[in-house]
């Protein structure tokens, strides 16, 4: 599981140095191959390829209309890119994706259990602070 927030930087070539906490989990449970995509065109999601394949399998098996599956596949393919860790523990994010998501300089690398989000640091902080976790939210989570 990926947990927490590990701010880091993208270098001028678009390489993201995977934070040590996440790199340890990758080395332990995954093979270093990832699928980077977005569901909404706003937030970059980085799935270990093994986790992405499980998600695809679940979606394929769901009894949902084909047009919904097609929409999902169109969105995730538009932003989709298979990436692999290099020898220095970096992932190269394509220029078109960096531009789309505004990824440059300092970024937030956020653990979301089975995947990682890569967000513009200031936007992430603003969003979290504008949408606080409420007691009702916690009650639902703890049921």
């Amino acid at each position: 599981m990926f947990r927490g927030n590990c701010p880091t930087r993208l270098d001028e070539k678009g390489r993201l140095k995977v934070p040590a906490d996440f790199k340890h989990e990758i080395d332990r449970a995954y093979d270093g191959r990832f699928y980077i995509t977005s569901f909404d065109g706003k937030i970059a999601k980085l799935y270990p390829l093994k986790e992405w394949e499980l998600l695809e399998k679940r979606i394929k098996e769901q009894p949902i209309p084909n047009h919904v599956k097609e929409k999902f596949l169109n969105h995730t393919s538009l932003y989709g890119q298979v990436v692999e860790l290099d020898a220095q523990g970096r992932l190269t994010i394509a220029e078109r994706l960096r531009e789309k998501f505004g990824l440059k300089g300092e970024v937030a690398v956020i653990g979301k259990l089975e995947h990682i989000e890569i967000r513009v640091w200031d936007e992430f902080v603003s969003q979290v602070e504008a949408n606080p976790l409420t007691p009702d939210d916690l009650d639902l989570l703890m049921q």
Side-chain angles (χ1 to χ4, degrees), residues 34 38 42-43 46 63 67 72 95 109 114 119 128 142:
F34 293 86
S38 180
K42 297 175 184 172
I43 298 171
L46 183 66
H67 75 278
F72 173 82
E95 183 176 359
V109 180
E114 80 288 344
R119 307 274 303 270
V128 170
M142 300 304 161

Side-chain angles (χ1 to χ4, degrees), residues 8-11 15-20 87-91 109:
T8 191
R9 297 189 63 78
L10 277 169
D11 70 14
R15 294 176 299 201
L16 174 80
K17 176 76 172 161
V18 175
Q88 287 79 40
R90 300 174 300 193
L91 295 168
V109 180

Side-chain angles (χ1 to χ4, degrees), residues 26-135:
I26 292 163
D27 291 343
R28 186 189 69 72
Y30 302 107
D31 65 2
R33 295 181 306 150
F34 293 86
Y35 192 67
I36 185 170
T37 191
S38 180
F39 298 153
D40 60 6
K42 297 175 184 172
I43 298 171
K45 295 181 178 285
L46 183 66
Y47 282 82
L49 196 54
K50 182 167 87 172
E51 296 291 348
W52 181 254
E53 289 169 347
L54 289 172
L55 177 65
E56 287 176 322
K57 184 175 189 267
R58 283 195 311 265
I59 289 168
K60 184 178 178 182
E61 294 171 351
Q62 290 294 325
I64 55 176
N66 280 339
H67 75 278
V68 175
K69 289 180 186 179
E70 188 71 16
K71 185 188 282 189
F72 173 82
L73 293 172
N74 285 341
H75 278 271
T76 58
S77 293
L78 175 64
Y79 304 114
Q81 176 191 14
V82 175
V83 294
E84 192 165 342
L85 281 176
D86 67 14
Q88 287 79 40
R90 300 174 300 193
L91 295 168
T92 301
I93 300 171
E95 183 176 359
R96 67 181 176 82
L97 296 178
R98 294 192 317 266
E99 288 176 8
K100 172 64 181 168
F101 301 118
L103 300 174
K104 61 183 176 192
E106 189 172 2
V107 295
V109 180
I110 307 144
K112 295 287 182 113
L113 305 178
E114 80 288 344
H115 73 279
I116 297 167
E117 286 184 357
I118 306 167
R119 307 274 303 270
V120 174
W121 173 254
D122 293 335
E123 291 174 9
F124 174 63
V125 170
S126 295
Q127 181 194 19
V128 170
E129 290 176 350
N131 189 24
L133 196 59
T134 67

